[in-house]
């Protein structure tokens, strides 16, 4: 018999339907907005170049090429400067095999390769801005020496430093938090006698998990940046992140350890294996997918974190060359771009990268969770 | 024949609850002893005191003496050593989620055997002793969980045999198995009896009668009667034993 839907039920279904559509609508709108603004920027240049443009004088040995003795195929490009002044510059379109541009050296004698998309500002001190490709090739062809000094500008606008900083942050924060978190969970599940102490630890981790990250950021700033004098640095950021991650890792690992059937423990002890052997050979391998999920969730947390890192790792848009240097992750950079530089386009482009990373992480953890439920 | 186990005035407590009351029992070497009795009477508890498996449970207290070849298992023998001398097979097959090979090699590895040739030999020998070699020899690297329940249980027996135990404790090893797998395990127990002592808990009277030499009847934590299986099942001395085996209670 077909069930009759009365008016009240119909109304409820209606409201649920509208709410669902609304939620999906918002999601589609947000993704659509960020992607439509950001995706056009995503190309290999965006992902692989520095954020700030840098200029330098380099010496290049002459060899041969189809258009000039540098073996560079040049092009013209219009550059928008601040204050919307436009100027036309000469840019390297391609580098021929015969070129020695790869082994160019700067005025300190270090190798500084000329690469695609680099702008040539000056040749032997002569400004070539506004000149045409033909004019520039003429200048180059008329040089009567075995090398030439160029002033080049490596174009910025890329997010390579932020990508690297994010990766470093992930690596460092996991390095601190995973061993501690997993060991703590093992202690809680396999060693601690159930009772007041375990309950206290559990209460503490749960409370910590609920604290907003700005609080951790303040704490990290006071302890790591100021008191321990690390300054705004990779290290201060990673340590602060580790503290944020600990409750996540402990809880998730605890759950996966508890899901290991007691019959495995009994079987192992029944064979005369000791506790450490049992934990390392049976319990951890069985709980491994859950621990990996904990790690993936943590990576998601690191990628998404902004407040705590702003206060501890700072906002430098370069790859930190030591633990004590500042560096901003993608999310922090998106924040400062939008807030301080009002560059919504670039912030959205970074946003698109972040969304793609998060989607991949989510898919990975779904895949693994399905694997866990199989055993 | 010599006494493998000698149990004297054994009391066992879970916290305040006394689960075993003054149990006295002599178990002979290379015999099968069946433990029967209604649910909750303490059969598993008794079995698990014999390899100190109950040590893992909070608040457990054991009084009295359990001697294995004359040595007190709670005082004279290291617990890991004890558990290699006394193997255990559980009610539900519990192979580890790893390959058949790694399951069987687990015990030897835990006790420090690393050489592949040596492990290979132990694995094959144990699987043969557990009468499952022919069925799994081509799938030895496959996950043990992919086998049938009956095969899993024999893998668990092989795993227990791999550390060369003198005694095998079996807690209702066939209650989760189909009749054919059950018969295979029973045949196996009778075969193993040539070398080792077996103590088996069962709810199946026919099984006890079929395979055991001695039968012990437990009730509410007490050992009511312990005798030759033939005697227990034909002319029990205690009225309560008779009531139980004729199905009048339990
Ligand atoms: N971990 C434990 N903590 C407290 N009491 C327990 C524990 N395990 C068993 N008991 C109690 O001890 C008594 C004996 O239990 P045991 O499991 O030995 O019975 P059994 O004879 O094996 O029963 P079954 O035939 O159902 O397996 C029961 O009353 C049980 O409730
Ligand atoms: Mg039982």
């Amino acid at each position: 018999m077909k069930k009759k839907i009365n008016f009240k039920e119909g109304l409820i279904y209606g409201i649920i339907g509208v709410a669902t559509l609304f939620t999906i609508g918002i999601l589609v709108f947000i993704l659509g907005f960020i992607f439509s603004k950001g995706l056009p920027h995503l190309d290999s240049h965006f992902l692989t170049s520095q954020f700030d443009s840098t200029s330098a004088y380099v010496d290049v040995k002459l060899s041969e090429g189809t258009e000039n003795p540098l073996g560079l195929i040049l092009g013209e490009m219009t550059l928008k400067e601040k204050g919307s002044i436009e100027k036309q510059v000469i840019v390297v379109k391609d580098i021929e095999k015969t070129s020695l541009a790869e082994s160019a050296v700067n005025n300190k004698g270090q190798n500084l390769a000329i690469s695609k998309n680099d702008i040539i500002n000056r040749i032997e001190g002569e400004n070539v801005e506004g000149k045409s490709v033909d004019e520039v090739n003429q200048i180059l062809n008329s040089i009567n020496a075995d090398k030439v000094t160029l002033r080049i500008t490596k174009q910025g606008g890329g997010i390579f430093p932020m990508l690297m900083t994010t990766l470093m942050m992930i690596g460092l924060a996991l390095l601190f938090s995973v061993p501690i978190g997993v060991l703590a969970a093992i202690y809680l599940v396999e060693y601690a006698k159930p009772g007041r102490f375990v309950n206290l630890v559990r209460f503490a981790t749960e409370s910590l998990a609920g604290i907003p990250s700005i609080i951790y950021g303040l704490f990290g700033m006071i302890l790591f940046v100021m008191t321990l004098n690390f300054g705004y640095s990779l290290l201060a950021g990673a340590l602060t992140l580790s503290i944020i991650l600990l409750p996540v890792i402990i809880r998730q690992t605890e759950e996966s350890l508890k899901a290991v059937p007691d019959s495995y423990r009994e079987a192992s002890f029944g064979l005369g294996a000791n506790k450490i052997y049992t934990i390392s050979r049976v319990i951890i391998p069985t709980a491994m997918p859950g621990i990996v999920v904990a790690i993936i969730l943590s990576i998601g947390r690191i990628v998404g974190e902004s407040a705590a890192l702003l206060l501890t790792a700072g906002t430098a848009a370069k790859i930190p060359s030591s633990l004590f240097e500042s560096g901003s992750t993608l999310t922090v950079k998106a924040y400062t771009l939008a807030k301080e530089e009002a560059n919504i386009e670039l912030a959205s482009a970074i946003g698109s990268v972040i969304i793609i990373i998060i989607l991949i992480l989510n898919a990975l953890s779904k895949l693994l969770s399905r694997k866990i439920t199989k055993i | 024949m010599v006494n493998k186990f000698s149990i004297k005035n054994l009391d066992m407590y879970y916290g305040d609850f006394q689960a075993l009351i003054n149990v006295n029992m002599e178990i002979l070497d290379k015999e099968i002893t069946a433990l029967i009795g209604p649910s909750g009477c303490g059969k598993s508890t008794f079995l698990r005191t014999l390899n100190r498996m109950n040590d893992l449970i909070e608040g457990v207290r054991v009084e009295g003496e359990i001697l294995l070849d004359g040595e007190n298992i709670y005082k004279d023998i290291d617990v890991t050593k004890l558990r290699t001398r006394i193997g255990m097979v559980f009610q539900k097959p519990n192979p580890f989620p790893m390959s058949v090979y790694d399951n069987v090699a687990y015990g030897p590895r835990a006790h420090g055997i690393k050489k592949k040739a040596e492990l290979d030999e132990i694995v094959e020998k144990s699987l043969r002793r557990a009468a499952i070699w022919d069925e799994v020899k081509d799938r030895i690297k496959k996950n043990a969980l992919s086998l049938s329940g009956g095969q899993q249980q024999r893998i668990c027996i092989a795993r227990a045999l791999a550390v060369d135990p003198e005694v095998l404790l079996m807690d209702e090893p066939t209650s989760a198995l189909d009749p054919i797998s059950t018969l295979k395990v029973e045949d196996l127990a009778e075969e193993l009896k040539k070398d080792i002592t077996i103590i088996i808990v069962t709810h199946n009277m026919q099984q006890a009668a079929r395979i055991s030499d001695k039968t012990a009847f437990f009730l509410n934590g007490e050992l009511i009667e312990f005798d030759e299986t033939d005697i227990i099942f034909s002319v029990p001395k205690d009225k309560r034993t008779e009531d139980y085996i004729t199905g009048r209670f339990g």
Side-chain angles (χ1 to χ4, degrees):
Chain A
M1 231 176 54
K2 224 176 159 185
K3 220 177 103 189
K4 246 192 177 171
I5 296 178
N6 62 28
F7 174 72
K8 219 168 135 189
E9 277 180 51
L11 191 71
I12 292 171
Y13 282 138
I15 293 173
I16 293 173
V18 170
T20 315
L21 281 180
F22 187 67
T23 319
I24 296 174
I26 289 183
L27 187 69
V28 170
F29 180 73
I30 292 179
L31 291 188
F33 183 79
I34 298 288
F35 278 151
S36 72
K37 288 238 170 222
L39 280 184
H41 289 271
L42 291 197
D43 54 21
S44 68
H45 174 80
F46 182 67
L47 295 176
T48 55
S49 17
Q50 297 294 322
F51 184 76
D52 295 317
S53 57
T54 50
S55 301
Y57 283 96
V58 291
D59 287 345
V60 193
K61 286 214 176 72
L62 298 187
S63 53
E64 52 195 45
T66 45
E67 291 180 8
N68 55 51
L70 285 178
L72 298 175
I73 309 291
L74 302 175
E76 290 156 20
M77 193 179 81
T78 330
L79 204 63
K80 247 195 205 147
E81 294 230 305
K82 272 175 200 154
S84 68
I85 307 163
E86 291 188 0
K87 62 179 182 181
Q88 190 202 305
V89 293
I90 296 296
V91 64
V92 177
K93 281 253 177 285
D94 207 352
I95 301 175
E96 291 176 286
K97 284 206 184 65
T98 50
S99 170
L100 295 172
E102 295 264 334
S103 41
V105 289
N106 66 9
N107 47 14
K108 288 192 195 111
Q110 296 155 334
N111 177 251
L112 182 70
I114 296 177
S115 35
K116 262 198 231 175
N117 296 317
D118 286 356
I119 295 168
I120 297 179
N121 309 104
R122 283 164 192 271
I123 299 172
E124 293 292 347
E126 181 186 351
N127 193 338
V128 295
E129 272 165 20
K131 288 198 160 63
S132 73
V133 171
D134 286 342
E135 287 171 310
V136 172
N137 277 335
Q138 248 174 12
I139 299 176
L140 287 172
N141 281 317
S142 64
I143 292 173
N144 246 337
D146 62 344
K147 63 173 190 166
V148 59
T149 304
L150 304 175
R151 183 180 192 271
I152 58 166
T153 299
K154 296 206 166 273
Q155 294 193 62
I159 57 167
F160 187 65
M162 278 61 89
L163 274 174
M164 291 318 281
T165 306
T166 306
L167 285 180
M168 288 162 133
M169 212 48 112
I170 291 172
L172 265 180
L174 292 181
L175 186 72
F176 299 134
S177 57
V178 170
I180 297 176
V182 169
L183 286 178
I186 289 174
Y187 172 76
L188 286 174
V189 177
E190 306 293 336
Y191 286 92
K193 301 207 168 94
R196 218 182 260 165
F197 177 69
V198 172
N199 288 342
L200 190 74
V201 174
R202 216 153 271 158
F203 176 75
T205 47
E206 248 145 68
S207 315
L208 284 175
I211 292 179
S213 56
I214 184 75
I215 307 289
Y216 288 102
L218 283 171
F219 167 79
M221 184 163 103
I222 293 166
L223 178 65
F224 301 126
V225 177
M226 285 146 66
T227 310
L228 294 176
N229 213 8
F230 293 165
Y232 290 112
S233 60
L234 197 59
L235 185 62
L239 288 171
T240 309
L241 279 177
S242 312
I243 300 174
I244 296 178
L245 295 180
L246 266 183
V248 183
I249 294 174
I250 292 179
R251 274 172 65 182
Q252 180 72 30
T253 308
E254 254 192 287
E255 291 310 313
S256 51
L257 290 175
K258 281 191 209 149
V260 176
D262 270 337
S263 66
Y264 292 174
R265 296 180 177 86
E266 287 196 321
S268 178
F269 293 136
L271 288 164
N274 60 28
K275 196 146 191 169
I276 306 248
Y277 194 86
T278 304
I279 289 173
S280 62
R281 293 310 162 90
V282 178
I283 297 177
I284 292 185
T286 312
M288 205 55 196
I291 297 174
V292 174
V293 167
I295 293 174
I296 293 175
L297 289 177
S298 306
I299 296 177
R301 200 61 210 263
I302 298 170
V303 172
E305 186 55 60
S306 56
L309 285 176
L310 267 171
L311 297 184
T312 52
T315 56
K318 57 174 180 38
I319 302 174
S321 53
S322 84
L323 287 178
F324 296 98
E325 271 182 38
S326 166
S328 52
T329 61
L330 289 167
T331 305
V332 170
K333 193 68 211 170
Y335 172 86
T336 50
L337 270 176
K339 178 78 181 26
E340 285 158 24
E341 299 174 35
N343 193 339
I344 303 296
E345 304 272 316
L346 211 49
S348 300
I350 296 181
S352 314
V353 175
I354 295 172
I355 291 174
I356 292 169
I357 294 175
I358 297 286
L359 288 181
I360 292 173
L361 289 176
N362 277 357
L364 268 181
S365 78
K366 281 265 148 48
L367 215 78
L368 279 164
S369 310
R370 214 167 295 152
K371 226 177 164 185
I372 302 173
T373 41
K374 261 194 207 148
I375 37 170
Chain B
M1 291 236 230
V2 298
N3 289 5
K4 193 71 190 170
F5 270 116
S6 187
I7 294 130
K8 292 176 183 152
N9 306 324
L10 177 69
D11 291 313
M12 191 281 194
Y13 303 82
Y14 289 112
D16 297 333
F17 174 73
Q18 184 166 10
L20 293 174
I21 304 162
N22 195 27
V23 175
N24 285 279
M25 209 165 158
E26 298 292 326
I27 294 173
L28 298 189
D29 196 15
K30 299 189 177 129
E31 277 197 346
I32 298 183
T33 303
L35 308 180
I36 60 170
S39 194
C41 67
K43 305 179 296 291
S44 298
T45 301
F46 176 70
L47 203 65
R48 293 162 59 94
T49 43
L50 297 182
N51 70 342
R52 297 184 52 180
M53 225 34 188
N54 286 329
D55 288 14
L56 304 173
I57 300 169
E58 194 65 12
V60 161
R61 214 167 78 240
V62 177
E63 284 165 13
E65 270 188 342
I66 301 177
L67 306 180
L68 174 67
D69 292 333
E71 289 178 294
N72 188 323
I73 65 163
Y74 280 86
K75 293 199 182 114
D76 306 331
I77 308 178
D78 171 57
V79 66
T80 40
K81 187 83 190 59
L82 176 76
R83 290 188 189 140
T84 58
R85 292 177 62 184
I86 306 178
M88 188 158 199
V89 177
F90 300 82
Q91 176 170 357
K92 224 177 123 241
N94 60 351
F96 300 125
M98 40 178 99
S99 73
V100 171
Y101 185 97
D102 289 338
N103 262 283
V104 181
Y106 185 87
R109 279 178 176 148
H111 297 103
I113 298 180
K114 288 203 183 78
K115 281 202 208 100
K116 187 167 180 307
E118 199 176 344
L119 286 171
D120 286 352
E121 196 188 314
I122 294 175
V123 169
E124 178 171 345
K125 187 176 142 212
S126 309
L127 287 169
R128 281 190 194 282
R129 282 181 82 191
I132 184 139
W133 172 253
D134 289 330
E135 284 164 67
V136 298
K137 62 170 185 273
D138 303 322
R139 296 188 268 173
I140 205 148
K141 294 286 174 204
K142 278 251 181 77
N143 196 309
L145 295 178
S146 67
L147 302 175
S148 77
Q151 289 172 327
Q152 287 187 15
Q153 192 62 302
R154 279 177 290 148
I155 295 293
C156 293
I157 294 174
R159 183 176 65 186
L161 292 173
V163 289
D164 221 357
E166 304 152 28
V167 181
L168 196 58
L169 308 176
M170 303 171 109
D171 194 349
E172 302 186 46
T174 61
S175 68
L177 305 185
D178 63 274
I180 294 177
S181 304
T182 299
L183 281 182
K184 280 188 184 157
V185 172
E186 287 181 11
D187 288 346
L188 175 58
E190 286 184 280
E191 184 63 31
L192 291 173
K193 188 180 102 169
K194 290 177 190 158
D195 307 312
I196 62 181
T197 309
I198 294 177
I199 306 173
I200 181 169
V201 173
T202 180
H203 273 281
N204 181 333
M205 295 304 128
Q206 286 84 9
Q207 184 169 67
R210 267 198 304 268
I211 64 170
S212 68
D213 301 294
K214 297 271 172 56
T215 296
F217 172 62
F218 281 83
L219 187 62
N220 296 331
E222 283 183 271
L223 176 60
I224 304 298
E225 193 168 348
F226 175 50
D227 213 328
E228 301 282 337
T229 298
D230 296 343
I231 295 178
I232 294 277
F233 282 95
S234 54
V235 283
K237 295 191 188 65
D238 198 292
K239 176 81 169 51
R240 288 168 293 181
T241 315
E242 190 181 344
D243 285 348
Y244 181 72
I245 57 176
T246 53
R248 247 169 279 170
F249 75 89

